Amino acid sequence: SQTIHQWPATLVQPVGSPLSLECTVEGTSNPNLYWYRQAAGRGLQLLFYSVGIGQISSEVPQNLSASRPQDRQFILSSKKLLLSDSGFYLCAWSPNSVSPLHFGNGTRLTVT
Amino acid sequence: GDSVTQMEGPVTLSEEAFLTINCTYTATGYPSLFWYVQYPGEGLQLLLKATKADDKGSNKGFEATYRKETTSFHLEKGSVQVSDSAVYFCALSDKGGSEKLVFGKGTKLTVNP
């Protein structure tokens, strides 16, 4: 069966520090991969999605970037975190564009 | 652009009470509609979906009907349980599936014994 792993579960980082969140999917190949963020008082916002290795689409301009170095690995990064980057980050995958999303358990990021 | 509006939470109910969580949407064309649920400490899970007008999605005793005339997809359950305590998200996709899902803000439900 397919599983999605996302880590760390919680993270506290100072303003200006770098960020790297990792997400991996097991038990499938060539999945669509997604990064969502839920900021306080707001709904889930799609940040990035990828349909293949090295193919990244960005939905909103921001301080973050994403990379897909391997088929089942999706990384969310920042060179310098801002206070506004605090939030709950969720990775998700789907086998194709018409199937529902499967989410990881999320990372709670607090920028201080 | 597309958007989803959910009723403000939190919602607190007693066990066996009737639940309604309102959801309305704005979209061009004919989107697919979804309800996702997030149990404490877990990621989101698909609860139910509907892909065209008048479709009814159902799962685990929950139901929602795609109402094109009122652009709504309200979530209902006749008798809630303590185990239904979670955050519920309404979402739409104008591409029919998982691409570019647009989510509402979520509604936190607490069911007391």
Side-chain angles (χ1 to χ4, degrees):
Chain A
S1 64
Q2 301 91 357
T3 56
I4 179 169
H5 302 281
Q6 191 180 338
W7 68 92
T10 59
L11 189 60
V12 180
Q13 292 283 102
V15 167
S17 63
L19 172 74
S20 180
L21 302 180
E22 190 163 341
C23 172
T24 60
V25 181
E26 296 178 357
T28 188
S29 60
N30 197 32
N32 290 352
L33 296 170
Y34 305 82
W35 277 111
Y36 280 85
R37 175 174 62 197
Q38 184 178 23
R42 301 183 63 180
L44 284 164
Q45 181 183 37
L46 177 63
L47 301 177
F48 301 96
Y49 71 95
S50 172
V51 299
I53 295 175
Q55 300 178 59
I56 309 293
S57 296
S58 174
E59 289 300 298
V60 293
Q62 60 202 307
N63 184 42
L64 302 168
S65 61
S67 62
R68 185 170 177 174
Q70 301 180 41
D71 181 43
R72 291 168 292 172
Q73 184 184 31
F74 205 25
I75 298 172
L76 183 69
S77 304
S78 174
K79 293 181 179 178
K80 290 185 178 182
L81 283 169
L82 306 173
L83 286 174
S84 58
D85 292 324
S86 294
F88 191 56
Y89 290 82
L90 285 158
C91 182
W93 75 275
S94 65
N96 50 58
S97 62
V98 296
S99 296
L101 292 176
H102 303 273
F103 284 85
N105 286 347
T107 296
R108 176 77 58 190
L109 171 65
T110 303
V111 182
T112 60
Chain B
D2 296 348
S3 66
V4 173
T5 303
Q6 285 181 240
M7 66 184 288
E8 294 286 331
V11 174
T12 302
L13 296 173
S14 298
E15 207 165 22
E16 299 184 2
F18 184 85
L19 168 71
T20 298
I21 299 179
N22 290 338
C23 171
T24 57
Y25 66 89
T26 302
T28 54
Y30 303 95
S32 292
L33 301 173
F34 306 82
W35 277 101
Y36 278 81
V37 58
Q38 184 179 29
Y39 298 105
E42 300 183 12
L44 278 71
Q45 304 172 25
L46 178 65
L47 181 59
L48 53 85
K49 68 176 184 179
T51 57
K52 61 183 187 296
D54 300 324
D55 268 2
K56 177 186 284 188
S58 60
N59 186 24
K60 299 182 180 180
F62 290 89
E63 293 183 339
T65 301
Y66 190 144
R67 300 290 188 197
K68 182 171 177 292
E69 63 275 13
T70 55
T71 62
S72 64
F73 193 54
H74 305 321
L75 183 68
E76 297 181 336
K77 186 174 186 181
S79 177
V80 293
Q81 306 300 312
V82 172
S83 57
D84 294 326
S85 298
V87 181
Y88 293 82
F89 292 89
C90 186
L92 70 81
S93 170
D94 62 6
K95 295 187 180 296
S98 52
E99 279 191 25
K100 300 187 180 183
L101 272 176
V102 176
F103 285 87
K105 292 183 180 181
T107 302
K108 184 176 182 180
L109 169 67
T110 300
V111 180
N112 295 319

